[in-house]
Amino acid sequence: QLVLGLTFNWGAWMGWAATYGSMDYSIIAPLYLSGVTWTIVYDTIYANQDKKDDAALGLKSTALTFGEDVQQHKLLLHGFAGFTWSQWMLAGYMAQLSPLHAIGVTGAYAHLVWQIQTADLDDPHNLAKRFRSNTITGGLVFSSIMLGNITSPMFPFEASSWEELDSSMHSSIHVPISRGMEK
C-alpha cells in the first residue's frame, strides 16, 4: 500500500512541474504526502478483502501488517487519515486558499472517518462499498481546492505574515526546474 501510494501520487509532482515549470515544495510536498497516506487508508480497507490470499502468497499488505485486532487496525487507519487531513490543510494554507478549502477537506476527512468507523474488516461487500466511496472523498478534495482557489480573493491573507513567510522559507523552496519555463 505504501509503494502504491508513492507511485499513484507521483502525478502531483509532475502536474505541478508541468503547470508552473518549478517546484514549490511548501505546497506540493504536503499534497503528495496526503495522497500517499490517503492511498494507505483506502487501499488497506480494500486489502482486507484479500487477507487470506495475501497471507498464502506471502505478501506484506498493510491489512496483514496492521494485525487482526480490529480496534488497533482501525486506530492505525485513523492515524493515517488524520495525517492526510493535516497535509490537505497545510497544502491549502501554503497555497493561500480561502477558508472554504479547509471546510471542504474537513468534510473529506469526516468521510474517511466514516469509512474507517463503519468498515467491517471481515465483510468483502462492506469493504468494497467503502473503497468505492473514495470517489466522494476525491470529489470533496478536488472541489475544495477549486473553491478555495476561486474564492481566495474574498479572504485576503495578511500581507505582512506572507512577506515574513516568503523571506524565511517560501521563496527559498520555490526552485525553477528548467530555464525558460518560469512564469
Side-chain angles (χ1 to χ4, degrees), residues 7 9 43 67 125 146 167:
T7 56
N9 294 286
D43 205 53
H125 296 291
M146 296 301 292
S167 66

Side-chain angles (χ1 to χ4, degrees), residues 4 15 36 45 56 74 77 81 88 108 116 125 130 145 148 157 164 166:
L4 182 69
V36 172
I45 290 171
K74 288 186 174 188
L77 289 174
W88 286 334
I116 296 164
H125 296 291
R130 270 113 194 104
I145 292 169
F157 285 83
E164 291 169 15
D166 280 344

